[in-house]
Every structure is written in C-alpha cells, then in structure tokens.
Amino acid sequence: MKVATFNINGIKARIQALPQWLDEAEADVVLLQEIKSVDESFPREIFEERGYQVETHGQKSFNGVAILSKLPLEDITRGLPGDDSDEQARWIEATVMGDIPVRVCGLYLPNGNPVELENGVPVPGGKYAYKLGWMERLHNRAQELLALEEPFLMAGDYNIIPQDEDARRPEAWQEDALARPESRAAFRRLLNLGFTEAFRARTFGGGHYSFWDYQAGAWNRDDGIRIDHFLLSPQCADLLTDCQIDKEVRGREKPSDHVPVWVELAA
C-alpha cells in the first residue's frame, strides 16, 4: 500500500500538475491539504476516472483536506474532535481496506503566524494559541487511536520544523511559529506517545526538505524546510518498507510550494 501526502496549495492552481504526478506515482491513497475548495466544487471526476474514491472536507478559499483512494474506504469522519466551534477544515479520517486495514488521518496543522506573545505567553485567541490548542486536540485524538492498538497513521502538512537539520537556514526560523520551542515541544510530546516519524526512520541527516517558498529564489537555492510528515502507530510502523520525498515535483511547471511525501506499507 503506497500512501502519499501532498499540500497542493489550491486545487484550481494544480489542476494539471496534480493528475500528472498521480499518473506517475501510482499511489493507492493520497492525502491532500489546502484544496481551497468547498466540497461541491472539488473536481472529483478527474480523480474518479483514475480509479480513486474521493472524500473531501472543504472550505471556501482556505484550508480544506481530502482523501483519494483506489482501495475501499470505511468509517469516514471529518473534523478534529475537541472543539465544536472550530470551523476550519483541517482534518479527515478513514480506514483503508487493504490486505491489512489501515486507519489514515489527513491533517493540515495551523501555521500559527504571526506569533503573538504577552510576557512570553501566547495571546489567547491569537493564531499561535490556536496552533498550540489544535496540537493539544491532536494529541488527545492520537491517544484515542493508539488505545485501539491497530495500524494507523497521521500524515500531512504539520507546519512544524522538528529540528534544525530540517531547515537549510535554521537561524531564519527561530522565532517563527514553525520552529519555536513551544511548537517543537508539542511535536515531541506527540512523538513520545509511541509514534515513528517515517522519514527519519529511513533517512538521516540534513538537506531533505518538502517545502520551498515561492519568494526570493528559495527553490533555486534549495532554501527549504521539512514540514510534511508521516507519524505511524507502532502497529503501522511494523508495516513500513519505505518513505521518500518526491523533490523533483517542485521544479515543474506551476508547482505547489510543497512536494509529495510517501510511504510504502506491507498492507
């Protein structure tokens, strides 16, 4: 089972690039972020004709997540539990019925910028406070799923640079919401529940990125960061055979600022 995650930064803008990559990658399951489309407007026919079941959790102009699957999906749920007032479309779950069923959770974690602090503490109601609160809810949902002791993964755009080696210029991100100590601590707390970070289970060292800004020639200078991650439960980690970043996609025509990351599972 090949599962990919890809922040496409707008389905309308990626209407040609995404199908091209799909045809090459032959992924069984694709978790999309930032579709920037309401459910009714998502061009599902393009993907259905390629054999994908399409499930979306959309929002007009912003956010939005989706699952494309060539394998049957069951028990599809939308929205991260824990805050009924949260209207941002950032979470979708489903069980992929492969040889071994795997629960997949697609996420688009809040960016959190600008960081608004008062006496060193995030301002209530600010974007950074929302990010950290969302991560607390993610932690709670992860605990619920871990208690089932079944294979599952949580993948997507985490908007977290886990360590300095995950940025070409770590000094430029020290005060950014993606790399602040509170953000990294929340990510480590999540990992410490017992998850395997799939890419780091297979590849060590710096120089591996999944995002390059459109500005200031970041792609040409390889001035990237690694913020798209797969977290695997212990039962899912046992199935891991590979994890790679499709870096070359960033150099194509009309690219997203992110590139796909994928895992292969013996499932």
Side-chain angles (χ1 to χ4, degrees):
M1 182 190 297
K2 184 176 182 179
V3 184
T5 178
F6 193 0
N7 180 324
I8 57 173
N9 193 11
I11 185 60
K12 291 181 180 178
R14 239 54 65 196
I15 201 69
Q16 294 179 328
L18 177 57
Q20 178 189 351
W21 170 78
L22 282 173
D23 293 343
E24 298 169 359
E26 298 182 333
D28 300 297
V29 183
V30 183
L31 307 172
L32 300 177
Q33 301 92 48
E34 276 202 279
I35 62 174
K36 298 182 180 178
S37 167
V38 295
D39 296 335
E40 300 76 29
S41 299
F42 190 81
R44 60 180 55 246
E45 298 81 8
I46 294 174
F47 308 106
E48 289 173 342
E49 67 187 18
R50 288 172 164 78
Y52 287 101
Q53 177 179 339
V54 179
E55 300 294 339
T56 60
H57 179 37
Q59 181 178 343
K60 186 177 181 180
S61 303
F62 297 98
N63 306 323
V65 288
I67 301 176
L68 314 178
S69 180
K70 291 184 176 179
L71 297 165
L73 296 177
E74 293 186 359
D75 191 21
I76 301 148
T77 61
R78 295 166 174 84
L80 183 63
D83 183 358
D84 292 339
S85 67
D86 187 0
E87 297 180 351
Q88 297 192 29
R90 295 180 175 275
W91 179 268
I92 189 168
E93 287 185 34
T95 299
V96 181
M97 304 306 293
D99 293 336
I100 299 173
V102 177
R103 186 75 173 167
V104 298
C105 307
L107 64 92
Y108 176 42
L109 205 147
N111 178 286
N113 285 305
V115 177
E116 303 161 86
L117 303 175
E118 189 172 302
N119 298 321
V121 178
V123 175
K127 290 187 175 181
Y128 194 49
Y130 174 66
K131 179 190 187 98
L132 297 178
W134 204 95
M135 294 188 75
E136 181 65 27
R137 289 159 55 200
L138 175 61
H139 186 276
N140 293 340
R141 181 58 182 152
Q143 286 183 306
E144 294 173 352
L145 291 168
L146 285 168
L148 301 176
E149 298 187 351
E150 296 172 352
F152 82 94
L153 59 83
M154 303 190 305
D157 177 1
Y158 277 76
N159 271 315
I160 296 286
I161 304 169
Q163 300 181 89
D164 282 355
E165 67 180 359
D166 295 309
R168 177 67 180 268
R169 294 182 301 118
E171 68 279 1
W173 298 91
Q174 288 180 353
E175 296 305 317
D176 192 280
L178 277 63
R180 278 191 61 86
E182 302 93 336
S183 303
R184 288 180 167 179
F187 188 73
R188 285 196 303 272
R189 184 165 170 255
L190 189 62
L191 282 174
N192 289 341
L193 290 174
F195 287 100
T196 294
E197 208 252 271
F199 186 78
R200 284 305 181 201
R202 304 284 302 181
T203 304
F204 302 99
H208 306 285
Y209 313 124
S210 64
F211 171 93
W212 296 260
D213 197 279
Y214 290 128
Q215 307 298 319
W219 166 245
N220 293 329
R221 295 184 290 109
D222 198 23
D223 185 7
I225 54 178
R226 194 176 69 89
I227 56 176
D228 301 86
H229 310 301
F230 274 88
L231 268 55
L232 313 183
S233 73
Q235 297 79 12
C236 192
D238 288 343
L239 305 174
L240 179 66
T241 60
D242 201 3
C243 179
Q244 300 287 339
I245 298 173
D246 283 350
K247 178 179 179 178
E248 73 282 355
V249 175
R250 183 63 174 80
R252 296 182 180 178
E253 187 175 351
K254 294 184 178 180
S256 171
D257 41 10
H258 294 252
V259 296
V261 183
W262 52 267
V263 296
E264 284 186 349
L265 306 174

